[in-house]
Amino acid sequence: MAEVNSPVRVRYAPSPTGALHLGGARTALFNYLFARRRGGQFLLRIEDTDRARFKPGSQEQIEEGLRWLGTNWDETPLIQSERKAIYEKAAADLIASGAAYRCFCTPERLDQMRAEQRARHEPERYDRLCRAIPADESERRAAAGERFVVRQAMPLQGTTTLQDLVMGSVTFRNDTLDDHVLLKSDGFPTYHLAFAVDDHEMRISHIIRGDGWLPSAPKHLLLFQAFNWLPPAFAHLPLVLGPDKKPLAKRHGARDVLEYREAGYLPEAVDNFIAFLGWSPGTEEDILTMDQLIEKFSIDKIQASPAMANLERLDWLNGQFIRRLTADALAQRLAGRMPQVPVESLKPLMPLVQERLRTLNEAPEMLRFFFEEPDSYQPAQLIPKGRDAAATAMALTEAATTLRPLTSWTPETIEPALRGLAERLGWSSRDLFMGLRVAITGRTVTPPLIESISRLGKERVLARLERAGRTLAGPAPS
RNA sequence: GCCCCCAUCGUCUAGCGGCUAGGACACGGCCCUUUCAAGGCCGGAACGGCGGUUCGAUUCCGCCUGGGGGUACCA
């Protein structure tokens, strides 16, 4: 293990095969929080040694996702495909020391071997045929141009124990470990070789990665030993399941975190949400800012059991974070979603919608009546239950008449005027307000009516009341 | 098949031998109320099973069951 006091350096090492999904974002976040908490570095590494699965644009997409979430990395990302020669050299060193060997077996032979093992109900593992090839013969065949891979030579007996920071002590019998491939016949390293070489070179102190790597962790530990390098500490994160209880990473349509941005979620809400997937501060606090997450983060509070992403909770969290924004900040975040409205016009309206929003995307519809006239009125909505069209038309007209003489247009003057009208009419304020609400906004669900009337302005309110009144008074549409 | 991991309300979790098993989301009810929210109060809801260890197990150990991962010249 690395020295306790050595500088903390961790990394998130995605392969560029697609988007940054919630599970990957959580791995990145945990690394980030740990690094910041310990005053260390958080690095990024692109594991693109599999040319077949490489997706152009994926790296940029992942980086944008990380930036959006605020998990900013230090230093320039390391790109594995640019380091082919370094891995080849490392593999050669391992061959020289006897910790690895060339394997000349063809894919066909390996297939056949596995089929036979399967038939005999034996574990499917490389049978180590080429491990017995003498060094000079191996050299000669390689020099002659014969295709080969390099395999790690696992110890044949004994056990390997990993002290995992999350899972605890995990012991494997060495004779169950496969002599897996380190260097492919195309000269590219597999994950196993590349990650060890890079983590050593990058002076990584802690490997915080997905639980999927746990089964190969002993091989990784052995590999560090084979190189005679001090291994980093390991922390394997339990996986994150989707709502269908399938692992997020494998789930069809695992969502890009950027889709959450499009859907109107705040990055601070998403961070808070994923932080609590498998971790908690050990207290009853549940709304934490990034700074608070950093302050409270520790690996020993990470759970060993998998967590299922509960998107309803994300909705709630998002609402909580929206409510904590200042009105100006909320207006700024809304600006991109309502490009036709100047931010300055948006700001005074924020108090009306702030506590009603769960996502940013709900705002444009909620505020629409401030910027557009209602399309048309549905009498069924306009007329309160138990009233008729004529009475409602009269009430709306009366409302206009009542409001027109007001010299001051504020909630303090509007509200008593309308309540007085309800009394004169013998209507409940509930009924009157609903009629007015629909007349003025075109909708039955709106921000508070009096405030809306006040901010909409006298002219537009009177015009809408009269228009609605005319709609009801006029001939019924056929 | 073989190897490995995991197991508290529906979900996220607190708990690290003695608790009326706590909080949050969601759900139901009530209050507030001009609609919708927000907020407040109340409620239902969990230690997978069986054996140990112990005066005492949610907690420690084993087995079983259940879930998951790995088992590629993918990461």
Side-chain angles (χ1 to χ4, degrees):
Chain A
M1 296 276 163
E3 292 297 317
V4 178
N5 293 323
S6 68
V8 165
R9 286 171 65 84
V10 294
R11 75 329 191 249
Y12 176 56
S15 46
T17 54
L20 177 67
H21 57 75
L22 241 31
R26 190 197 58 164
T27 301
L29 179 65
F30 282 12
N31 274 284
Y32 174 84
L33 294 176
F34 183 65
R36 293 291 173 264
R37 174 78 186 99
R38 302 282 291 266
Q41 280 89 46
F42 170 59
L43 311 176
L44 190 57
R45 183 170 72 218
I46 305 301
E47 310 219 323
D48 59 348
T49 54
D50 184 357
R51 302 149 307 152
R53 297 202 314 156
F54 177 80
K55 269 219 201 98
S58 170
Q59 181 182 341
E60 291 69 23
Q61 203 175 354
I62 289 168
E63 289 182 352
E64 193 181 346
L66 291 173
R67 271 193 295 268
W68 181 62
L69 290 173
T71 46
N72 298 114
W73 58 94
D74 305 302
E75 306 180 10
T76 304
L78 184 139
I79 314 290
Q80 290 188 326
S81 60
E82 296 168 357
R83 299 165 47 77
K84 201 176 162 192
I86 293 167
Y87 306 119
E88 283 176 326
K89 166 74 165 56
D93 290 348
L94 251 20
I95 293 171
S97 71
Y101 59 92
R102 291 187 191 84
C103 169
F104 299 93
C105 293
T106 62
E108 294 71 34
R109 188 185 105 72
L110 295 176
D111 284 346
Q112 191 193 338
M113 176 197 77
R114 288 195 193 95
E116 287 168 8
Q117 287 170 335
R118 215 172 7 253
R120 279 182 264 126
H121 298 292
E122 286 173 10
E124 290 175 39
R125 268 185 255 132
Y126 179 56
D127 60 7
R128 294 172 171 149
L129 181 71
C130 294
R131 191 159 165 173
I133 297 174
D136 54 347
E137 182 190 333
S138 174
E139 291 293 343
R140 186 167 39 73
R141 288 170 69 174
E146 196 172 337
R147 276 177 86 81
F148 64 88
V149 300
V150 177
R151 290 182 183 274
Q152 185 176 354
M154 296 300 167
L156 273 9
Q157 71 278 307
T159 60
T160 297
T161 297
L162 171 78
Q163 298 301 335
D164 189 87
L165 265 20
V166 174
M167 299 298 172
S169 177
V170 184
T171 299
F172 296 74
R173 272 180 26 222
N174 291 151
D175 62 10
T176 64
L177 267 26
D178 196 7
D179 281 5
H180 62 186
V181 173
L182 295 175
L183 197 72
K184 301 181 248 184
S185 57
D186 62 5
F188 278 89
T190 59
Y191 169 84
H192 309 290
L193 210 217
F195 106 93
V197 169
D198 291 342
D199 279 348
H200 177 253
E201 189 171 311
M202 293 165 80
R203 303 190 316 285
I204 296 301
S205 61
H206 301 256
I207 295 176
I208 305 173
R209 75 225 303 192
D211 169 284
W213 294 114
L214 191 55
S216 40
K219 297 190 267 194
H220 296 162
L221 210 46
L222 259 8
L223 190 52
F224 274 93
Q225 285 172 18
F227 277 119
N228 218 350
W229 294 336
L230 203 57
F234 286 87
H236 287 94
L237 269 20
L239 28 77
V240 179
L241 311 177
D244 55 1
K245 297 202 175 190
K246 285 287 157 204
L248 223 43
K250 289 276 175 75
R251 230 175 107 227
H252 177 70
R255 300 221 292 161
D256 186 345
V257 296
L258 295 173
E259 287 177 43
Y260 290 90
R261 178 177 67 182
E262 298 319 306
Y265 291 95
L266 267 32
E268 45 271 61
V270 175
D271 280 325
N272 197 102
F273 177 65
I274 60 184
F276 274 78
L277 257 24
W279 174 85
S280 95
T283 64
E284 290 186 350
E285 302 163 284
D286 48 14
I287 312 266
L288 300 175
T289 62
M290 184 67 104
D291 284 344
Q292 291 170 318
L293 290 174
I294 290 169
E295 184 194 332
K296 291 169 187 302
F297 189 79
S298 79
I299 289 184
D300 52 55
K301 286 286 186 187
I302 297 176
Q303 286 244 307
S305 54
M308 191 175 113
N310 174 202
L311 277 336
E312 283 170 337
R313 190 182 163 78
L314 173 60
D315 284 344
W316 174 77
L317 272 171
N318 205 54
Q320 293 297 319
F321 279 97
I322 286 176
R323 254 149 254 144
R324 281 163 171 71
L325 256 23
T326 63
D328 282 7
L330 179 56
Q332 294 292 350
R333 302 227 198 183
L334 253 24
R337 279 156 225 274
M338 305 181 70
Q340 73 288 2
V341 181
V343 184
E344 290 308 315
S345 312
L346 236 32
K347 286 181 181 175
L349 303 180
M350 295 300 97
L352 297 190
V353 295
Q354 189 153 17
E355 67 184 28
R356 289 163 230 282
L357 294 174
R358 280 174 101 72
T359 69
L360 259 19
N361 287 9
E362 293 164 355
E365 189 54 31
M366 226 174 252
L367 292 169
R368 206 161 74 130
F369 70 93
F370 280 105
F371 309 104
E372 290 172 33
E373 294 302 309
D375 301 333
S376 64
Y377 296 111
Q378 296 176 24
Q381 289 189 340
L382 217 38
I383 303 167
K385 284 190 176 44
R387 311 280 172 189
D388 61 29
T392 303
M394 194 268 283
L396 294 176
T397 308
E398 280 299 304
T401 306
T402 302
L403 292 174
R404 185 169 293 111
L406 291 182
T407 51
S408 155
W409 192 257
T410 66
E412 290 69 32
T413 57
I414 295 165
E415 181 159 10
L418 292 177
R419 289 194 189 277
L421 172 65
E423 211 164 316
R424 289 201 303 282
L425 255 29
W427 283 36
S428 65
S429 52
R430 187 186 189 86
D431 282 353
L432 178 63
F433 285 12
M434 184 49 88
L436 295 175
R437 181 187 313 285
V438 175
I440 292 165
T441 68
R443 314 188 43 167
T444 55
V445 175
T446 73
L449 182 63
I450 306 292
E451 293 289 325
S452 298
I453 289 176
S454 169
R455 287 180 166 74
L456 204 43
K458 191 171 174 178
E459 296 315 312
R460 284 197 288 172
V461 169
L462 295 183
R464 289 184 193 182
L465 287 174
E466 282 159 7
R467 179 183 158 207
R470 280 197 306 275
T471 303
L472 287 179
S478 52

